[in-house]
Amino acid sequence: MTQSRRMLVLRAVVEDYIRSQEPVGSTSLTRNHHLGVSSATVRNDMAALEDEGYLVQPHTSAGRVPTEKGYRYFVDRLATVVPLSPAQRRAIGNFLGGSVSLEDTLQRAARLLARITGQVAVVASPALSKSTLRHVEIVPVSMNKLLAVIITDTGRVAQHTLEVHPLPSTELLATFSETVNARCVGQSLTLAAKTIVALGKTVEHGELSALAQALSRALTSMAEDEQATDMYMAGTSKLAHQHSGTEMAPLLDALEEQVVIMRLMNSLSEEVTENGVGVAIGSETHTPELMHASVVTSGYGHINATVSEGSASAQAGKPVAFVGSIGPTHMDYVTTMAAVRAVARYLTGIIGEDATDADS
């Protein structure tokens, strides 16, 4: 009995169980797969796999089902994530291409991923704390108030009212705005806030110290806003109808704890494999409610190494947000991993990274 053949048997069991969700027997394996050995030999291999913890026999005389260890072996041996078909990639582009805003894009992405996988899809918006400055526009709105329109690299737009006494002249305001954009574009919001304070202390812009302080505070508040990351979810009701209540009830409870899901997927998206996706199965999620669930996730976008400073430099290259799918451990890993990666790549292009095909 060779180890390589035994693992081919394991892969066949996982594939058949994912497809049928019924215990798999040796007879059906020899009928459905070209294993090159008899049913009795396959039965012996399955018994050895059970002894090694890859399979379990739920009932006497019944077939076997994969364990968490079995699923992990299967996922780890997926040499490459099979790309979506050209038609599927075009469908992603067409569906998401009709978005009118970043928020609309992320909501559509969640609905699309849920439709492809039949599972719960979760898409997070880019955290402002991970964003960089793209443009600042400052315009007068009253005798002593200015409106600062702040645009980040991820497409987020924020408006802040700044009270300044006295109101600077149009010429001074224009010069200051030009300098801010020249010096701060591409910097993290925290670093840009410090740069602007320093500008207010220069001879050239000394008259605008109060404006510099007010704009700096606005940028700092954006960077520190823990509520700046929204999470869009889709597919919960469909998953609940497709699977038994006892199996899905803990998972549905976990989905209500959005902070837990956010933390798990953030962590997983920063530790993706060479395939571009991260997979946590059952106990690997370290979440009791997800003991019978799997999480597949991928980050999109990335923090620019040139704009980080101090301890933030450790974050350089990490994703600005994540997209993921949550379902039972017997999910279709091949389809789910491909879909999550494709949507993540599309979103990376959307928010201003180098434009690439959704799954090139």
Side-chain angles (χ1 to χ4, degrees):
M1 183 192 309
T2 64
Q3 183 70 13
S4 60
R5 188 193 67 228
R6 185 184 301 169
M7 291 308 157
L8 287 177
V9 171
L10 172 61
R11 181 180 183 121
V13 172
V14 174
E15 291 174 347
D16 283 7
Y17 185 69
I18 287 174
R19 183 168 52 251
S20 69
Q21 294 173 33
E22 295 288 341
V24 180
S26 58
T27 302
S28 66
L29 279 184
T30 53
R31 183 175 61 246
N32 298 330
H33 300 269
H34 301 292
L35 297 173
V37 293
S38 67
S39 176
T41 300
V42 171
R43 188 159 49 250
N44 289 336
D45 284 352
M46 293 174 73
L49 288 167
E50 184 177 1
D51 291 340
E52 294 169 359
Y54 292 102
L55 301 176
V56 65
Q57 191 171 29
H59 307 290
T60 305
S61 301
R64 291 173 173 83
V65 302
T67 62
E68 183 179 302
K69 182 179 179 181
Y71 285 123
R72 172 47 62 190
Y73 182 90
F74 176 80
V75 169
D76 288 346
R77 294 310 182 276
L78 291 175
T80 58
V81 174
V82 179
L84 297 181
S85 69
Q88 288 172 316
R89 297 201 301 271
R90 284 195 299 272
I92 290 176
N94 292 338
F95 187 78
L96 299 183
S99 305
V100 297
S101 65
L102 177 63
E103 180 183 75
D104 186 31
T105 298
L106 300 181
Q107 290 175 332
R108 285 173 176 244
R111 294 200 303 271
L112 177 64
L113 186 57
R115 184 187 306 169
I116 294 173
T117 63
Q119 297 160 178
V120 175
V122 181
V123 180
S125 66
L128 285 173
S129 59
K130 296 182 179 180
S131 300
T132 61
L133 194 63
R134 176 178 289 175
H135 185 74
V136 175
E137 191 75 27
I138 306 173
V139 295
V141 291
S142 70
M143 294 297 293
N144 59 2
K145 289 184 180 179
L146 299 169
L147 179 66
V149 181
I150 301 168
I151 305 173
T152 72
D153 63 322
T154 55
R156 298 287 285 271
V157 179
Q159 297 182 358
H160 290 265
T161 301
L162 311 177
E163 292 194 17
V164 180
H165 305 278
L167 205 65
S169 67
T170 304
E171 292 76 13
L172 279 176
L173 196 57
T175 302
F176 181 73
S177 297
E178 289 176 5
T179 305
V180 166
N181 283 297
R183 299 277 188 88
C184 300
V185 169
Q187 292 185 341
S188 67
L189 300 185
T190 301
L191 181 55
K194 294 179 180 179
T195 301
I196 290 169
V197 168
L199 283 175
K201 296 178 181 179
T202 63
V203 174
E204 182 183 4
H205 301 290
E207 295 180 50
L208 302 179
S209 177
L211 171 58
Q213 292 284 349
L215 183 57
S216 175
R217 286 194 295 271
L219 288 168
T220 300
S221 69
M222 289 175 63
E224 295 176 347
D225 186 2
E226 293 299 326
Q227 303 305 314
T229 299
D230 296 317
M231 197 164 74
Y232 304 98
M233 193 176 297
T236 305
S237 59
K238 184 176 181 180
L239 186 71
H241 287 120
Q242 285 179 336
H243 302 279
S244 66
T246 55
E247 181 185 45
M248 288 295 103
L251 169 57
L252 297 177
D253 289 341
L255 293 174
E256 293 183 4
E257 298 294 332
Q258 293 199 2
V259 174
V260 174
I261 297 298
M262 184 81 73
R263 188 182 304 118
L264 169 63
M265 287 200 157
N266 260 328
S267 174
L268 196 58
S269 68
E270 294 178 355
E271 300 173 2
V272 298
T273 66
E274 60 185 25
N275 288 330
V277 294
V279 181
I281 304 169
S283 64
E284 296 171 356
T285 66
H286 304 293
T287 306
E289 293 86 355
L290 298 180
M291 283 297 294
H292 300 290
S294 289
V295 177
V296 178
T297 187
S298 181
Y300 67 88
H302 65 266
I303 300 173
N304 193 331
T306 64
V307 301
S308 302
E309 68 161 350
S311 61
S313 62
Q315 299 294 318
K318 291 188 176 181
V320 298
F322 64 79
V323 53
S325 183
I326 306 174
T329 52
H330 56 258
M331 69 164 61
D332 183 344
Y333 290 95
V334 174
T335 297
T336 301
M337 291 167 71
V340 167
R341 189 182 69 167
V343 172
R345 288 186 173 187
Y346 188 92
L347 292 178
T348 294
I350 282 288
I351 65 171
E353 301 294 335
D354 293 334
T356 58
D357 186 81
D359 197 2
S360 57

